[in-house]
Amino acid sequence: MRMVIEPIFEREFAEQSYGFRPGRGCLDALRRVDELLKSGHVHWLAHPATSLVPSASSVVEVDIRGYFDAIPHGRLMAAVQEHIADGRVLGLIEAFLKAGVMEEMKEWEVESGTPQGGVISPLLANIYLNPLDWKLAQAGLEMVRYADDLVVLCRAPEQAVQALATIREWMEGAGLELHPEKTKIVDMARAGAHFEFLGYKFWRGKGGKLKRFVRPKSRRKLHARIKPLTKRTNGQSLEAIVAKLNPILRGWYGYFRHASAAALEEVDRWVRGRLRSILRKRRGGKGRGRGLDHQRWSNRYFAELGLLCLQGLRAKEWPVSIKEQTC
């Protein structure tokens, strides 16, 4: 079904939509955000040293409360019917939407939302938000959206206020609700200001420089994947543990390679700390690896075991200072 209807709607989708579309992905959306932050969507601030530093003016960070579970079926089907007339296709799509849910031997029929994990669900979600994409584009607003995760980059605070009002009005008419705490306007001209998008935290430094950190939630997800493999009671050899860690670290680096050197260093340090704790316990010690453990099992020791070093991978791609080359 998705293969049949996707080409029909691909012709209708706006350029600023990146989620779950052929030939597009998270990195494309992040690249576009970076372009807008560095391009004309800046105003110039006088630096204390009299130089001029570009700084994004305002960013509207939008969070739709429970989007995939909140899409009204009737309005969604109306949007689908604007481009599909075949009754059999429409009936099948509606059957997907109304498929029963069984939990703890109890079954009920859902009245809103798209099926969790359904192959066609991301496409239907894009169809429902497509009018908002075009509305913002026609208003001259630069928006970047990946599924239900979206930001609007504005030239001035007044434009951001207008953008948020437009989004709020459209959401109310579409039967959706903005998260009151996670939806906000961020003044990116202010030092220390930040917004989050697709796992990254874009942060404005004191000198006006834009930095990219890893969102705390994304870091916690990485920790959750690695912790079961690095328990102090793990009886496998360090080589075997490292062999399991490396694919995870390489994949994580592939996505977060543009994060700050400090973010990469934090992950390297944390992983080595977990491994030192295993070795410490094997020597009869208690607690986490600390103190002399750092000399006993140095960074070089883990490098010789073949443990991937994120900073080392970064150094091969971009020139870095001697201070950053700690692996």
Side-chain angles (χ1 to χ4, degrees):
M1 176 61 68
R2 194 203 71 187
M3 293 172 65
V4 169
I5 70 173
E6 186 175 60
I8 298 173
F9 287 98
E10 266 298 310
R11 296 195 297 267
E12 307 297 327
F13 287 156
E15 182 66 23
Q16 60 266 46
S17 169
Y18 291 87
F20 306 105
R21 296 183 60 187
R24 292 175 166 232
C26 290
L27 294 179
D28 298 303
L30 289 164
R31 194 173 297 113
R32 179 56 179 161
V33 169
D34 195 61
E35 290 173 356
L36 290 170
L37 287 169
K38 294 177 179 178
S39 68
H41 286 72
V42 302
H43 63 244
W44 297 90
L45 297 177
H47 191 274
T50 70
S51 61
L52 293 176
V53 180
S55 172
S57 178
S58 295
V59 174
V60 183
E61 189 176 355
V62 178
D63 185 277
I64 307 173
R65 191 195 291 269
Y67 174 58
F68 284 91
D69 293 329
I71 302 175
H73 287 173
R75 294 175 183 176
L76 173 58
M77 288 305 301
V80 173
Q81 290 171 16
E82 291 181 6
H83 300 283
I84 295 179
D86 191 315
R88 294 169 299 175
V89 174
L90 294 173
L92 188 53
I93 294 174
E94 191 164 12
F96 286 145
L97 293 174
K98 294 185 178 298
V101 175
M102 178 174 287
E103 184 177 4
E104 296 180 353
M105 302 307 294
K106 295 181 181 179
E107 184 177 357
W108 70 91
E109 186 176 289
V110 294
E111 298 180 356
S112 63
T114 54
Q116 291 291 333
V119 174
I120 201 173
S121 294
L123 174 59
L124 295 176
N126 274 337
I127 291 172
Y128 199 64
L129 284 180
N130 190 50
L132 175 63
D133 297 344
W134 283 107
K135 186 177 184 67
L136 294 177
Q138 291 164 1
L141 296 167
E142 290 287 359
M143 184 264 284
V144 180
R145 180 174 69 81
Y146 190 97
D148 61 333
D149 199 353
L150 64 100
V151 290
V152 185
L153 296 97
C154 305
R155 298 179 184 273
E158 297 79 13
Q159 190 181 41
V161 172
Q162 173 201 345
L164 182 55
T166 300
I167 294 171
R168 194 181 304 279
E169 180 183 5
W170 187 90
M171 291 290 174
E172 291 176 356
L176 300 174
E177 181 184 359
L178 295 179
H179 196 291
E181 297 176 0
K182 297 181 180 180
T183 300
K184 56 184 179 293
I185 295 176
V186 181
D187 179 11
M188 287 301 291
R190 180 176 53 83
H194 66 271
F195 68 94
E196 297 179 354
F197 185 62
L198 296 181
Y200 275 85
K201 175 187 285 188
F202 293 83
W203 184 77
R204 180 69 64 188
K206 291 183 178 180
K209 185 178 181 180
L210 183 70
K211 297 183 179 181
R212 305 175 195 85
F213 294 102
V214 179
R215 189 175 66 164
K217 183 177 179 181
S218 300
R219 193 166 56 246
R220 289 194 295 270
K221 286 184 177 180
L222 176 66
H223 287 187
R225 291 188 65 189
I226 289 179
K227 282 183 177 180
L229 303 176
T230 55
K231 292 181 178 179
R232 288 195 284 270
T233 55
N234 191 321
Q236 294 182 307
S237 68
L238 261 292
E239 290 83 356
I241 297 173
V242 166
K244 292 181 180 180
L245 292 178
N246 280 347
I248 298 174
L249 294 172
R250 190 178 296 279
W252 192 88
Y253 175 78
Y255 187 80
F256 288 106
R257 68 202 316 154
H258 297 289
S260 68
L264 301 180
E265 181 184 7
E266 188 277 335
V267 173
D268 284 331
R269 187 168 55 247
W270 182 80
V271 172
R272 288 193 294 262
R274 299 281 300 181
L275 297 178
R276 287 189 181 103
S277 297
I278 294 175
L279 294 169
R280 179 184 178 85
K281 181 174 179 59
R282 291 178 181 179
R283 289 175 62 95
K286 296 181 178 180
R288 295 181 297 175
R290 58 185 183 274
L292 293 177
D293 294 339
H294 291 267
Q295 286 74 46
R296 186 177 292 117
W297 301 294
S298 66
N299 294 357
R300 183 182 296 275
Y301 171 82
F302 295 109
E304 291 174 352
L305 281 176
L307 179 67
L308 276 182
C309 172
L310 304 187
Q311 282 189 290
L313 292 175
R314 172 75 158 265
K316 293 178 181 179
E317 296 189 45
W318 298 296
V320 294
S321 67
I322 296 177
K323 181 180 179 181
E324 291 174 335
Q325 296 182 20
T326 59
C327 298

